[in-house]
């Protein structure tokens, strides 16, 4: 537990330092830290929660379903905020939406998925006026193995969510980006691309730029992402340590 708390404190300190280096245009918010707990035991999540962490990210629906309903989590982590950050298949929408304390789905990447989530959320929300927060995932690196909508489809997808998905609240854009990019030479092009997508959404759909979040940056580049204006960083290994390989 001591190591996890030290790691968590270090990551938060680095975020604070990186925030101080940001352009003045980003001073209106403090970046949110999402502790990515995939393939990690419930005990570590509880330890991080007790240390003050509230936002946690999971990549797999079944794993989040199990953790979200764990009696220890339900009893101890009453104000936990779950972020689903993995690829979501339509046949698993109902499973995901049944998770207690689901805060946001960051990986909406097509209209059919958005519509399916919108329709099903009615059956799981506790308050009929409660909208589910969603982000649109963008494949900024254009890698075939990556999920996310194409750059040209970002505005139409956001428009679809706003116009046709009344049970959802669009809050921003997310990208994973190309792994291992050397940002010491120049800014990460995936992060710059996501920022450009946000500007396009803001202009074309008449949405205040400050109302569109940017979820970008992971353990290897979250400080760089913060400097470029990320509102939401997803950090796993730097907090919880290396993950075991997932059994397929």
């Amino acid at each position: 537990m001591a190591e996890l708390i030290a790691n968590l404190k270090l990551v938060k300190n680095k975020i604070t330092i990186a925030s101080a280096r940001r352009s003045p245009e980003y001073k209106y918010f403090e970046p949110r830290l999402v502790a990515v707990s995939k393939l990690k035991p419930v005990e570590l999540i509880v330890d991080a929660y007790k240390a003050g962490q509230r936002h946690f990210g999971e990549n797999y629906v079944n794993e989040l379903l199990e953790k979200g309903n764990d009696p220890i989590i339900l009893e101890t982590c009453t104000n936990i905020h779950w972020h689903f950050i993995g690829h979501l298949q339509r046949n698993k929408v109902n499973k995901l939406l049944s998770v207690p304390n689901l805060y946001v789905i960051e990986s909406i990447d097509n209209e059919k998925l958005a519509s399916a989530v919108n329709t099903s959320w009615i059956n799981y929300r506790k308050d009929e006026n409660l909208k589910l927060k969603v982000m649109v995932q963008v494949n900024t690196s254009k890698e075939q193995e990556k999920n996310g909508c194409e750059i040209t489809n970002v505005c139409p997808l956001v428009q679809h969510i706003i116009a046709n998905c009344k049970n959802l609240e669009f809050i921003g854009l997310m990208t994973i980006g190309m792994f291992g990019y050397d940002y010491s030479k120049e800014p990460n092009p995936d992060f710059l691309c996501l920022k450009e997508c946000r500007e396009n959404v803001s202009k074309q759909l008449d949405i205040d730029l400050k109302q569109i979040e940017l979820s970008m940056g992971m353990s290897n580049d979250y400080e760089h992402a913060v400097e470029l204006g990320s509102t939401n960083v997803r950090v796993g290994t730097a907090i919880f340590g290396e993950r075991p390989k997932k059994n397929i």
Side-chain angles (χ1 to χ4, degrees):
M1 180 176 179
E3 182 179 358
L4 183 147
I5 292 176
N7 289 344
L8 189 58
K9 183 177 180 180
L10 179 61
V11 170
K12 289 182 177 179
N13 285 342
K14 287 184 175 181
I15 289 174
T16 299
I17 293 171
S19 295
R21 296 195 294 263
R22 294 179 299 175
S23 167
E25 65 183 297
Y26 303 127
K27 299 297 185 180
Y28 66 93
F29 69 89
E30 293 302 323
R32 178 192 304 112
L33 171 61
V34 178
V36 180
S37 48
K38 70 175 182 179
L39 304 182
K40 291 297 181 177
V42 164
E43 291 76 14
L44 290 183
I45 296 174
V46 172
D47 287 344
Y49 185 91
K50 288 181 177 179
Q53 181 62 27
R54 291 295 178 266
H55 293 265
F56 292 82
E58 290 287 340
N59 288 67
Y60 309 114
V61 173
N62 289 341
E63 184 176 1
L64 178 52
L65 184 66
E66 182 177 341
K67 288 177 176 176
N69 286 286
D70 187 282
I72 299 176
I73 293 284
L74 290 173
E75 180 180 353
T76 309
C77 309
T78 55
N79 195 33
I80 196 168
H81 292 62
W82 291 113
H83 292 233
F84 185 73
I85 59 177
H87 178 57
L88 179 58
Q89 297 171 307
R90 273 184 284 162
N91 62 0
K92 291 188 176 181
V93 164
N94 287 327
K95 275 187 176 182
L96 177 60
L97 297 186
S98 71
V99 174
N101 297 308
L102 178 65
Y103 179 75
V104 60
I105 299 175
E106 295 195 21
S107 49
I108 299 295
D109 59 7
N110 64 78
E111 292 186 4
K112 289 184 178 179
L113 177 60
S115 295
V117 172
N118 176 69
T119 300
S120 295
W121 180 238
I122 301 172
N123 301 318
Y124 297 96
R125 61 186 177 188
K126 295 180 181 179
D127 180 346
E128 65 178 13
N129 296 315
L130 179 65
K131 293 186 176 185
L132 177 63
K133 294 179 174 60
V134 297
M135 292 184 180
V136 166
Q137 181 177 354
V138 186
N139 185 354
T140 54
S141 61
K142 301 179 182 179
E143 296 172 271
Q144 290 187 349
E145 67 274 16
K146 287 277 179 64
N147 296 306
C149 72
E150 295 181 3
I151 296 168
T152 54
N153 291 337
V154 174
C155 284
L157 178 51
V158 174
Q159 175 63 38
H160 171 76
I161 293 171
I162 294 173
N164 304 312
C165 301
K166 300 303 183 182
N167 301 311
L168 306 182
E169 178 188 359
F170 167 74
I171 66 167
L173 307 175
M174 183 268 263
T175 191
I176 294 177
M178 188 177 295
F179 182 76
Y181 178 79
D182 183 7
Y183 56 83
S184 64
K185 298 179 180 178
E186 59 184 4
N188 189 318
D190 289 312
F191 296 167
L192 296 181
C193 178
L194 197 68
K195 290 175 62 177
E196 185 176 349
C197 288
R198 179 174 69 163
E199 291 172 1
N200 290 337
V201 169
S202 175
K203 292 176 182 177
Q204 293 186 31
L205 303 182
D206 194 26
I207 303 174
D208 184 350
L209 201 67
K210 293 182 178 180
Q211 299 302 313
I212 305 174
E213 292 201 29
L214 291 176
S215 177
M216 57 189 195
M218 298 188 290
S219 285
N220 62 319
D221 55 12
Y222 67 91
E223 294 169 88
H224 178 58
V226 166
E227 288 184 48
L228 291 180
S230 180
T231 67
N232 188 83
V233 292
R234 312 179 304 273
V235 181
T237 303
I239 296 173
F240 294 104
E242 293 295 332
R243 299 186 186 90
K245 291 186 177 180
K246 180 177 172 61
N247 293 324
I248 300 176

